[in-house]
Amino acid sequence: MISIAKPFIGEEEKAAVLEVLGSGQLAQGKRVREFEERFAAWVGARYAVAVSSGTTALHVALLAHDIGPGDEVITTPFSFIASANCILYAGATPRFADIDPLYYTIDPASIEQQITRRTRAIIPVHLFGQPAAMTAIAEIAAKHGLAIIEDACQAHGATLNGQPLGTWGTACYSFYPTKNMTTGEGGMITTNDPALAERMRVLREHGMRVRYVHETLGYNFRMTDLQAAIGLVQLTRVDGWNAQRQRNAAQLTARLAGAPGVATPQVRPGATHVFHQYTVTVADRERTIASLTERGIGYGIYYPIPIHQQQVYRERGYTDVLPVAEAASAKVLSLPVHPALTESELDQVADAVVAAACEPVLA
Ligand SMILES: *Cc1c(COP(=O)(O)O)cnc(C)c1O
């Protein structure tokens, strides 16, 4: 069985967790502080604030930007649902822009069409490890005075034109087990703005700066030292894993080149893509899935229903028609690309796709 994702926990992670267990300090403490410092330095941002998940990272980021009822935030419908739900949590209104058909990230021209007097922020998602069109998005944000909140939950370590993702605005990361690095559950927010970083620290801790003095409505969105201990070790491994993901992607692309009806992932010019997912389109998705399943190979469809068509949005009256996102949901197929795959396993994955693509269609 070749799985679509395979988190790696080594002896060092285990030892680091045992050390925390033995220390008696289990909740947020010095390991969290150390993880924040190292993560900020690794990203190239001035501050990092650790939280309990990528979802709470997005929620806190919006609150720290003072986004709430009456405000609109533009995001992509082709993502994990947290990219939009965080806007609802903040009491603001999500507006959906369509995506680019080549890279599946939010389309800057469509963002401009969604801007109103109420728009406060844009949440671009660096989907599958591919940077969103940040140069154009940064220009739009500057022109209209909008905040940028990067959803970098799938893009640890990616860059665009030499600039790391996570430094274009406020940026949110997830450490869920399937991501490029993990802490079990966990999240991180990066920013260069000291005031925002301070607000985020207060919000994750019950609105408290001084013990039991609650200056605002906050939450318990803390990370534990157990998670941070794992994260500190994973941070020493993630560059190597990203490089392996890139090599794996190159091998799949070489092997799939020329297979009829198969479109391999495109990398945006100037980008380093960290291949959280390796996502293709094929002429016949059902037949390709059957071929993969027959050979014991896992796959994923990210995402089968675009966010604006999910029940939670339908119920809220969303009737948007976003043709590129809707077509992508009907076509995409993600193949195993994780760093634990061997060359022979990668060949098996590609061969299964090629076999389905080359099978004659029975009339
Ligand atoms: C994983 C993910 C999230 C949410 O992260 P959690 O840690 O699972 O809460 C948000 N956005 C995107 C694009 C993700 O892939």
Side-chain angles (χ1 to χ4, degrees), residues 53-56 58 79-80 82-83 125 127 151 153-154 174-176 179 185-186 276 303:
S53 71
T55 304
T56 55
L58 288 161
S79 182
F80 182 58
S83 307
V125 180
L127 196 73
D151 182 339
C153 288
Q154 302 185 356
S174 165
F175 304 120
Y176 186 75
K179 309 291 162 131
E185 296 270 7
H276 171 65
Y303 292 90

Side-chain angles (χ1 to χ4, degrees), residues 14-258:
K14 291 175 191 166
V17 168
L18 286 175
E19 193 195 322
V20 174
L21 284 174
S23 76
Q25 169 67 57
L26 306 183
Q28 181 185 296
K30 71 172 187 201
R31 288 286 176 234
V32 168
R33 274 195 301 282
E34 199 183 334
F35 187 32
E36 289 174 336
E37 279 164 24
R38 298 260 187 94
F39 194 86
W42 178 71
V43 164
R46 284 178 67 194
Y47 306 96
V49 178
V51 288
S52 53
S53 71
T55 304
T56 55
L58 288 161
H59 185 177
V60 163
L62 286 167
L63 295 177
H65 279 273
D66 221 1
I67 288 165
D71 297 332
E72 292 178 359
V73 178
I74 299 171
T75 192
T76 165
F78 193 58
S79 182
F80 182 58
I81 198 157
S83 307
N85 280 359
C86 58
I87 304 164
L88 295 179
Y89 302 153
T93 303
R95 299 215 30 160
F96 296 104
D98 210 348
I99 59 166
D100 174 303
L102 204 52
Y103 307 116
Y104 305 122
T105 53
I106 196 165
D107 177 359
S110 185
I111 291 175
E112 288 205 279
Q113 289 167 2
Q114 293 298 326
I115 292 174
T116 71
R117 277 186 309 108
R118 294 176 180 275
T119 309
R120 295 283 317 282
I122 306 167
I123 304 181
V125 180
H126 306 306
L127 196 73
F128 306 145
Q130 167 101 272
M134 293 313 298
T135 311
I137 291 168
E139 273 171 28
I140 294 168
K143 185 169 137 201
H144 296 274
L146 309 176
I148 293 175
I149 297 171
E150 294 174 69
D151 182 339
C153 288
Q154 302 185 356
H156 317 64
T159 68
L160 183 63
N161 302 327
Q163 182 177 341
L165 301 188
T167 63
W168 298 77
T170 302
C172 299
Y173 293 84
S174 165
F175 304 120
Y176 186 75
T178 56
K179 309 291 162 131
N180 292 40
M181 60 178 283
T182 188
T183 61
E185 296 270 7
M188 192 74 85
I189 316 162
T190 56
T191 176
N192 287 329
D193 181 330
L196 276 176
E198 179 62 17
R199 290 201 65 190
M200 297 188 294
R201 288 182 206 288
V202 170
L203 284 164
R204 81 167 159 194
E205 182 124 49
H206 281 300
M208 184 167 78
R209 205 182 311 254
V210 174
R211 208 160 243 280
Y212 305 123
V213 180
H214 305 279
E215 51 193 79
T216 183
L217 178 65
Y219 300 84
N220 175 359
F221 285 163
R222 292 183 301 261
M223 178 183 276
T224 65
D225 264 19
L226 291 162
Q227 293 163 296
I230 301 171
L232 279 162
V233 180
Q234 295 259 313
L235 197 52
T236 67
R237 306 191 196 271
V238 64
D239 288 326
W241 284 334
N242 282 344
Q244 188 61 48
R245 284 176 182 273
Q246 288 160 348
R247 285 192 294 273
N248 292 354
Q251 188 184 331
L252 287 171
T253 293
R255 195 99 177 186
L256 291 173

Side-chain angles (χ1 to χ4, degrees), residues 293-327:
T293 306
E294 206 173 279
R295 292 164 173 81
I297 300 168
Y299 66 92
I301 296 176
Y302 311 112
Y303 292 90
I305 306 171
I307 297 174
H308 64 289
Q309 293 184 334
Q310 297 281 356
Q311 190 176 334
V312 41
Y313 289 87
R314 290 264 191 241
E315 276 169 1
R316 281 166 175 75
Y318 283 78
T319 55
D320 302 49
V321 176
L322 298 159
V324 187
E326 290 162 26

